[in-house]
Amino acid sequence: MNNGIIAQKQETSTEVAESESVTECEEIEDEESCFQEIEILLEHGISLADINNLKKNGINTIKGVQMCMRKKLTEIEGFNKEKIESLKEICCQISLSNAFMTASEVSFQRKQLFKLSTGSKALDKLLGGGVEAMSITEVFGEFRCGKTQLSHTLCVTAQMPGPNGYIGGKVIFIDTEHTFRPNRLKSIAERYHLDENTVLDNILYARAYNSEHQSELLNIVGCKLHEEAGVFKLLIIDSIMALFRVDYSGRGEIFDRQHKLGQMMSRLQKISEEYNIAIFITNQIASDFKSPDLATRPVGGNILAHASTTRIALTKGEGAIRIAKLLDSPDLEEAEVQFLITSGGIDDVKD
Ligand code: ATP
Ligand code: MG
């Protein structure tokens, strides 16, 4: 692949840790699939050239069109106002029957959501079972508090079978700080008795060089998730704000930065729902030594606070111990647990 995301090894394998219930789960996923290929628009008079232009902009499904604002569509080559109206109308008709669902159906769907283990049972419990699909989980904290270690651990645990018939899947890792380390993955794979080469093969890695590039990579991610539908289960961005902080400086640029950040977060939320994947982002804290309160606050302001579904603050404890505090969740109470950073990744503190 030469599109910005490289596999750790070229010939990627879809092999993940085996599960007895593979066929059963595939059937469930097929039944529930909300993907409606954008190619279906050909039958409704939309040209192949227009479909390809939508795809180039990361729009691969009918849901993707519906998630995109009209003003955004005007930026796409070949799309004028009339064409956009007709496209929206067609998509509306196509998805008429599943535009609404009952709360019972939502409840059923939520029960099916997979949750990825963090490596620590205590931390999983804090998160109501783990890092949840179809939402954005954010961890923030000062340097060395374990954000990157947690990201690496999730890269491995996401490949393993879990509750609810989860069979494991591939991972995409966007690295903005150049701290991704395959060697760490090998140690974590060893802890779980997994084949290290298979584990590396199942992780697609991209280095983002600036915040615009970070955003462009998300378009490629959209295409990748579409091409290999159902194969990827986790997208990690470590860290979400590092490049924004460099690219936009001072009060004069804050509006611009927040606007772009908001767009990116909205894109991430849509990706998580459209492709049924978990999104895990790390974040830094403000470095204002004059006011200690501010110095423990995550950067990204209200935009990030509202966009992240679940927020966890990490702080350092004694030695390798770290403390995770759940600060914001739509359905979990605020609480705090300890965990450990080990050579095998994130683990529980042993008594
Ligand atoms: P930053 O904000 O600088 O990116 P971070 O929160 O991402 O920091 P991590 O890299 O996740 O920090 O964690 C660093 C901690 O992990 C250090 O305390 C380091 O000693 C520990 N660590 C790194 N590798 C190992 C290992 N192989 N075995 C045990 N602990 C490790
Ligand atoms: Mg880090």
Side-chain angles (χ1 to χ4, degrees), residues 10-258:
Q10 278 304 307
E11 284 179 23
T12 55
S13 155
T14 52
E15 187 190 335
V16 288
E18 288 288 321
S19 158
E20 283 174 8
S21 52
V22 172
T23 346
E24 191 186 309
C25 295
E26 276 173 353
E27 274 169 17
I28 292 171
E29 285 196 355
D30 278 352
E31 263 175 37
E32 299 219 322
S33 174
C34 50
F35 288 99
Q36 276 178 299
E37 303 271 345
I38 207 164
E39 278 76 7
I40 200 176
L41 291 173
L42 278 172
E43 295 164 22
H44 297 265
I46 303 289
S47 73
L48 189 60
D50 286 340
I51 289 172
N52 286 338
N53 281 334
L54 288 168
K55 283 175 151 186
K56 264 188 227 158
N57 285 273
I59 301 169
N60 297 291
T61 62
I62 299 301
K63 204 170 186 180
V65 175
Q66 293 186 302
M67 285 173 169
C68 193
M69 291 283 285
R70 282 171 170 76
K71 69 176 177 186
K72 193 81 192 151
L73 288 169
T74 57
E75 293 167 16
I76 298 177
E77 193 188 329
F79 279 82
N80 57 25
K81 227 175 150 200
E82 290 73 42
K83 198 182 277 181
I84 291 167
E85 283 313 315
S86 132
L87 177 71
K88 284 282 186 184
E89 176 62 31
I90 292 166
C91 291
C92 188
Q93 288 299 327
I94 292 174
S95 60
L96 211 56
S97 60
N98 56 15
F100 283 91
M101 58 173 95
T102 65
S104 311
E105 285 168 330
V106 176
S107 168
F108 177 78
Q109 263 196 1
R110 289 205 54 77
K111 279 190 195 132
Q112 310 293 314
L113 289 182
F114 64 82
K115 291 182 180 175
L116 305 174
S117 174
T118 58
S120 152
K121 289 192 179 73
L123 186 50
D124 289 349
K125 198 170 166 213
L126 182 84
L127 292 170
V131 172
E132 194 175 64
M134 284 202 181
S135 72
I136 302 175
T137 303
E138 174 196 351
V139 292
F140 67 85
E142 63 174 318
F143 67 97
R144 279 183 55 241
C145 70
K147 304 181 293 290
T148 299
Q149 302 305 312
L150 189 46
S151 304
H152 280 69
T153 309
L154 283 163
C155 278
V156 179
T157 55
Q159 300 185 37
M160 297 162 59
N164 275 349
Y166 178 67
I167 57 167
K170 289 187 180 186
V171 179
I172 297 178
F173 195 111
I174 296 179
D175 181 10
T176 68
E177 297 182 318
H178 208 220
T179 49
F180 180 77
R181 296 290 180 273
N183 275 346
R184 290 294 292 124
L185 298 167
K186 287 183 186 175
S187 316
I188 301 167
E190 197 182 330
R191 166 186 168 192
Y192 289 108
H193 311 291
L194 297 175
D195 176 60
E196 57 184 47
N197 291 324
T198 307
V199 165
L200 295 192
D201 285 347
N202 285 329
I203 300 165
L204 290 187
Y205 169 85
R207 168 90 166 97
Y209 294 100
N210 59 50
S211 56
E212 285 170 6
H213 185 216
Q214 190 172 323
S215 172
E216 285 154 20
L217 283 172
L218 289 187
N219 279 347
I220 304 173
V221 166
C223 293
K224 203 68 208 150
L225 294 175
H226 183 72
E227 267 168 39
E228 296 187 51
V231 169
F232 290 91
K233 300 295 181 190
L234 172 67
L235 167 64
I236 294 173
I237 303 183
D238 182 22
S239 84
I240 189 81
M241 287 301 297
L243 299 172
F244 279 100
R245 289 181 97 182
V246 176
D247 296 344
Y248 299 89
S249 58
R251 293 201 168 273
E253 291 191 318
I254 199 90
F255 178 81
D256 230 18
R257 184 191 85 171
Q258 291 304 89

